[in-house]
Amino acid sequence: MKNTLKLSFLIFMLLMEMKTMGQDMFVGLAKKSITPSSPIWLTGYASRTTPATGIVHDLWAKAIYLESSPKEKAIIISTDLLGLSREVHQGIVQQLEEKYGLSQKQIIINSSHTHSGPMIWPALSGIADYHLEEQKSVSNYTLGLIDKLVDLAEESIAKKEKMKLSMGHGQADFAINRRQLAASKLGQDLPGPVDHDVPVIQVSDLKGQIKAVLVAYACHNTTVQGDNYLVNGDYAGFAQIEIEKKYPGALAMFILGCAGDQNPEPRGTIALAEKHGKKLAETVQNVLQKPLKPLGNSLRYDTQLVSLDFQKVNISVYQKELVGDDIFKQRRAKLMLEAINKGWNIQQYQYPIQALRIGKEFTLVALAGEVVVDYSLRIKKEFAQHDIFVAAYSHEVMCYIPSKRVLQEGGYEAESSMIYYGWPGPFTDTVEEKIMGGVYQLMKNIGL
Ligand SMILES: [Zn+2]
């Protein structure tokens, strides 16, 4: 009996050892400064009137390359930028495909949506009134960015070594629903959903040394506002600096969730951005002090395009806007009338969605654009048996993605933001069901 127990114990220990060994995978880490070297227009606020005047701290692009087998590889890239344009995103993917055989479904590029980062051509170029020379610096930065992000990916692949991934969750409460706040100031009542989840992934070497920390949160990086002309990564930039201080030698990466209708509160100063950043770093530290859930060493991924429809707008609306007194409507009308004259399809948008499953334990859904928080809450609820984080601001940031509820309520995220982004008008109310249909298909394809 004693021997049987001893044998069972040995088998148990052996199985545990095999399980632990099975959690290794090749991980490559890299970071690169993407701080603009010359004065450049910052983007995100239409109220700015000149290029940036200085720098608070560097902006970064960071990469975590994962390889669980010669056939299973993926890369997550974060950028301290408002968002990439389709041109930039596709430029990077094309090069990674040519050089490393990585296809779109293996590449997630997320933007922190800092409103104190450089303009990326041609996204939101309608909000700035810049001269030719200033426009050239935006174009040069954009072209250089593609090369930098490809180099970054290359470096992370070259540096791959065996590491282990584990994770936990915390909460941070400085995100509020800004639509609810705006409505309450007008004496109206709107629901105020938020998602305060803070997933934290720890990457450690085989000696147990922390080499990278990935943190995600759903809140606009808009603590500082349009009166700020200093380059900085807002709360996410400060959070990464703080995490790298707490874990010397580790790379801190930030991924933005469904923050379309989420703002930090309070807001308005650099000091507040730093305060929120430190709060997020503190949450990370609390998570990492508790036991973490190991992530298995398999990777599943898939991507697809969902065709979203814009509501039909009569051409006379743009003709009137063109001669109206709103400069932003004039610029949008000019774009739309040119597109109509050239016979371009401006009724649909091919919207990219993606999912990456690490082990059986965690899934990162990556949606493009400024997705409102309803999507995160709905996906987590409908796949409640799984540990999921829904990243938005991935691939490209081309406009807001409202839910059916937000579309019905109207307002900035549903309607007027489309003017600044240069799209024909609001989406039809099929947008949410179409995206959810795509998400269900992706989840099925990655084994959920
Ligand atoms: Zn935004």
Side-chain angles (χ1 to χ4, degrees):
M1 187 65 186
K2 209 175 168 187
N3 278 345
T4 321
L5 264 176
K6 209 171 171 183
L7 187 65
S8 309
F9 180 71
L10 280 173
I11 292 171
F12 173 74
M13 289 305 286
L14 189 67
L15 286 171
M16 286 303 288
E17 183 69 54
M18 281 170 68
K19 193 168 179 270
T20 318
M21 280 164 61
Q23 286 155 5
D24 302 345
M25 70 167 95
F26 280 112
V27 180
L29 306 167
K31 62 189 266 190
K32 232 177 217 334
S33 166
I34 49 168
T35 313
S37 54
S38 59
I40 193 169
W41 275 76
L42 301 181
T43 188
Y45 293 114
S47 58
R48 288 197 179 104
T49 52
T50 66
T53 54
I55 293 170
V56 176
H57 55 227
D58 275 322
L59 302 180
W60 294 93
K62 296 173 181 171
I64 298 185
Y65 169 74
L66 305 169
E67 185 181 306
S68 55
S69 80
K71 282 186 180 165
E72 289 180 349
K73 303 165 184 180
I75 187 165
I76 304 171
I77 295 175
S78 69
T79 65
D80 295 332
L81 294 171
L82 188 87
L84 301 185
S85 55
R86 174 165 283 194
E87 290 78 359
V88 171
H89 176 252
Q90 289 188 344
I92 298 161
V93 171
Q94 196 186 341
Q95 288 200 48
L96 292 183
E97 188 153 25
E98 283 165 10
K99 290 186 177 173
Y100 300 101
L102 292 172
S103 66
Q104 170 58 75
K105 63 183 174 184
Q106 295 164 289
I107 305 163
I108 291 177
I109 310 178
N110 184 271
S111 297
S112 74
H113 201 50
T114 173
H115 281 46
S116 304
M119 184 164 278
I120 309 295
W121 184 87
L124 274 178
S125 47
I127 67 169
D129 196 10
Y130 48 31
H131 310 301
L132 188 61
E133 279 308 307
E134 292 168 346
Q135 205 167 359
K136 274 187 196 162
S137 71
V138 170
S139 299
N140 284 337
Y141 180 83
T142 306
L143 288 171
L145 181 67
I146 298 178
D147 292 340
K148 274 190 181 167
L149 295 188
V150 171
D151 288 351
L152 172 82
E154 196 159 35
E155 194 183 324
S156 71
I157 295 168
K159 282 183 172 169
K160 69 176 183 183
E161 55 181 287
K162 286 271 179 142
M163 300 210 201
K164 288 180 182 181
L165 275 66
S166 51
M167 72 172 297
H169 290 263
Q171 295 264 313
D173 61 4
F174 60 85
I176 55 128
N177 191 297
R178 68 189 196 185
R179 291 170 54 80
Q180 185 188 38
L181 183 69
S184 70
K185 283 180 184 164
L186 299 169
Q188 296 162 351
D189 195 20
L190 283 184
V194 293
D195 182 357
H196 286 163
D197 179 27
V198 180
V200 181
I201 297 181
Q202 175 185 289
V203 181
S204 312
D205 65 15
L206 299 188
K207 291 179 200 143
Q209 184 75 29
I210 298 178
K211 292 292 180 184
V213 176
L214 182 152
V215 56
Y217 191 49
C219 181
H220 253 73
N221 268 291
T222 46
T223 316
V224 287
Q225 295 173 270
D227 56 349
N228 169 68
Y229 287 82
L230 302 176
V231 171
N232 72 87
D234 209 278
Y235 79 81
F238 283 106
Q240 291 172 79
I241 290 170
E242 203 58 25
I243 295 166
E244 291 183 355
K245 264 192 223 161
K246 286 179 193 287
Y247 302 95
L251 171 143
M253 174 185 272
F254 175 83
I255 297 291
L256 184 57
C258 294
D261 48 355
Q262 308 292 302
N263 258 0
E265 186 65 26
R267 56 194 288 249
T269 63
I270 296 275
L272 284 170
E274 187 169 9
K275 188 178 167 217
H276 296 322
K278 285 186 171 169
K279 176 77 200 162
L280 195 58
E282 213 175 279
T283 306
V284 167
Q285 198 171 21
N286 290 338
V287 171
L288 296 187
Q289 278 165 357
K290 291 179 194 147
L292 300 176
K293 172 177 74 170
L295 301 185
N297 69 345
S298 62
L299 298 171
R300 302 275 307 262
Y301 31 75
D302 201 13
T303 189
Q304 63 169 270
L305 292 171
V306 179
S307 185
L308 303 182
D309 300 307
F310 292 108
Q311 291 176 23
K312 283 208 163 58
V313 177
N314 194 296
I315 192 167
S316 63
V317 172
Y318 304 129
Q319 286 162 340
K320 273 185 201 149
E321 283 183 356
L322 192 65
V323 293
D325 51 11
D326 183 326
I327 182 73
F328 301 110
K329 284 186 179 171
Q330 279 176 23
R331 287 175 186 158
R332 193 266 297 264
K334 193 165 173 272
L335 278 176
M336 292 304 110
L337 291 169
E338 274 175 14
I340 292 166
N341 286 340
K342 286 174 178 158
W344 292 348
N345 176 10
I346 55 167
Q347 281 312 123
Q348 273 91 30
Y349 191 80
Q350 299 306 312
Y351 178 68
I353 62 172
Q354 195 153 324
L356 166 66
R357 190 177 183 197
I358 306 175
K360 286 190 164 57
E361 296 81 17
F362 179 65
T363 300
L364 181 66
V365 174
L367 307 176
E370 302 208 44
V371 185
V372 299
V373 78
D374 293 356
Y375 286 89
S376 167
L377 298 173
R378 182 171 170 187
I379 292 169
K380 284 178 180 175
K381 190 175 162 206
E382 294 184 15
F383 293 89
Q385 67 277 37
H386 300 286
D387 191 346
I388 291 173
F389 185 79
V390 185
Y393 302 83
S394 302
H395 307 326
E396 55 203 54
V397 176
M398 63 302 172
C399 64
Y400 280 84
I401 303 295
S403 58
K404 192 169 182 178
R405 172 183 70 81
V406 168
L407 263 173
Q408 281 165 354
E409 290 168 3
Y412 180 74
E413 293 81 2
E415 293 166 5
S416 50
S417 59
M418 290 293 194
I419 299 165
Y420 303 101
Y421 272 112
W423 293 109
F427 285 116
T428 64
D429 67 3
T430 58
V431 61
E432 181 173 337
E433 288 317 311
K434 284 198 170 187
I435 293 173
M436 286 306 297
V439 168
Y440 268 88
Q441 188 61 53
L442 282 185
M443 296 301 212
K444 196 176 155 213
N445 295 352
I446 60 166
L448 259 72

